[in-house]
C-alpha cells in the first residue's frame, strides 16, 4: 500500500510531463498569403490580461480573430502588386478585467483603459520596400466614438476600429 502512495503520484507526474511535450508549438501567424501576411508575438508576453487568460493559450483565439480581420481589411485596400507584412508585437485591449465572486471575471470598459496595439509592418511592391516601420496604435477617445452600428457587441470592436484607422492612413481610402 505504501508503494502505491509513492509510485502513483510519480506515475501521474510522468504522464503529465509526457503529454505536455507532445503538444505542438502554437501557430503564431495566419497561413501564408501572396498579398498580406499577419503574425504575432506570444500572447503570454502581451500587456493584455484577458479575463479568462490561462497559460497554454486557452484565450488566444481573439488574437487570431484580430489578425484575420487585419488581413481581410488590408487585402481590400492594398493596391495591385503591393504586399503587406504585419507583426503584432504587443496588444492591450480596451477595458480591464475585474474579478468577481466565484472566480469569474468581467471586462469593464472605461476611458482610463484605452486599447493599444504595437506592431511592425513592411509595405512593398514591385520589389521595392515602401515602408518598414513600427506603429503604435492608441485610441484615447475610444469611448467617445461609437463603435460602428448600434448594438455592436463585438468584443474586439475598439481594436478593429484602430486597425481600420491605421490601414486608412497607411494605404489610403479605397
Amino acid at each position: 500500500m505504501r508503494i502505491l502512495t509513492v509510485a502513483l503520484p510519480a506515475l501521474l507526474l510522468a504522464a503529465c510531463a509526457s503529454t505536455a511535450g507532445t503538444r505542438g508549438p502554437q501557430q503564431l501567424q495566419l497561413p501564408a498569403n501572396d498579398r498580406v501576411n499577419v503574425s504575432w508575438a506570444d500572447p503570454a508576453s502581451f500587456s493584455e490580461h484577458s479575463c479568462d487568460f490561462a497559460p497554454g493559450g486557452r484565450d488566444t483565439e481573439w488574437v487570431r480573430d484580430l489578425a484575420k480581420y487585419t488581413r481581410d481589411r488590408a487585402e481590400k485596400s492594398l493596391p495591385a502588386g503591393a504586399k503587406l507584412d504585419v507583426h503584432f508585437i504587443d496588444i492591450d485591449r480596451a477595458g480591464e478585467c475585474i474579478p468577481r465572486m466565484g472566480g469569474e471575471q468581467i471586462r469593464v470598459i472605461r476611458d482610463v483603459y484605452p486599447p493599444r496595439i504595437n506592431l511592425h509592418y513592411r509595405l512593398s511592391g514591385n520589389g521595392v520596400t515602401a515602408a518598414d516601420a513600427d506603429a503604435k496604435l492608441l485610441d484615447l477617445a475610444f469611448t467617445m466614438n461609437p463603435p460602428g452600428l448600434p448594438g455592436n457587441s463585438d468584443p474586439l470592436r475598439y481594436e478593429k476600429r484602430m486597425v481600420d484607422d491605421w490601414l486608412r492612413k497607411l494605404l489610403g481610402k479605397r
Side-chain angles (χ1 to χ4, degrees), residues 30-100:
L30 294 177
N33 183 312
D34 291 342
R35 296 176 35 104
V36 181
N37 289 308
V38 182
S39 61
W40 54 93
D42 182 3
S45 69
F46 287 168
S47 299
E48 170 60 28
H49 297 290
S50 197
C51 288
D52 54 355
F53 178 80
R58 181 170 65 105
D59 183 47
T60 58
E61 194 58 34
W62 64 268
V63 180
R64 184 174 299 282
D65 291 345
L66 186 60
K68 286 179 187 174
Y69 181 83
T70 302
R71 182 179 62 191
D72 292 345
R73 299 299 280 208
E75 283 179 335
K76 291 178 183 176
S77 301
L78 201 60
K83 180 175 172 53
L84 178 65
D85 293 312
V86 178
H87 180 74
F88 290 114
I89 298 167
D90 188 28
I91 301 174
D92 191 1
R93 291 172 55 192
E96 191 68 27
C97 289
I98 307 294
R100 298 188 67 187

Side-chain angles (χ1 to χ4, degrees), residues 129-140:
T129 299
D132 189 354
D134 291 331
K136 294 180 184 277
L137 313 183
L138 171 65
D139 186 359
L140 292 174

Side-chain angles (χ1 to χ4, degrees), residues 100-167:
R100 298 188 67 187
M101 291 182 59
E104 179 184 328
Q105 294 186 11
I106 60 168
R107 181 171 295 278
V108 175
I109 303 294
R110 290 190 210 141
D111 40 351
V112 294
Y113 307 123
R116 301 169 194 266
I117 299 175
N118 294 337
L119 57 87
H120 182 83
Y121 68 95
R122 178 177 293 124
L123 178 63
S124 59
N126 300 325
V128 177
T129 299
D132 189 354
D134 291 331
K136 294 180 184 277
L137 313 183
L138 171 65
D139 186 359
L140 292 174
F142 76 104
T143 58
M144 305 296 180
N145 302 320
L149 300 172
N152 183 352
S153 61
D154 184 342
L156 296 170
R157 61 190 173 272
Y158 302 111
E159 294 77 16
K160 288 178 178 179
R161 184 174 58 208
M162 282 193 326
V163 166
D164 286 342
D165 290 345
W166 172 70
L167 287 171

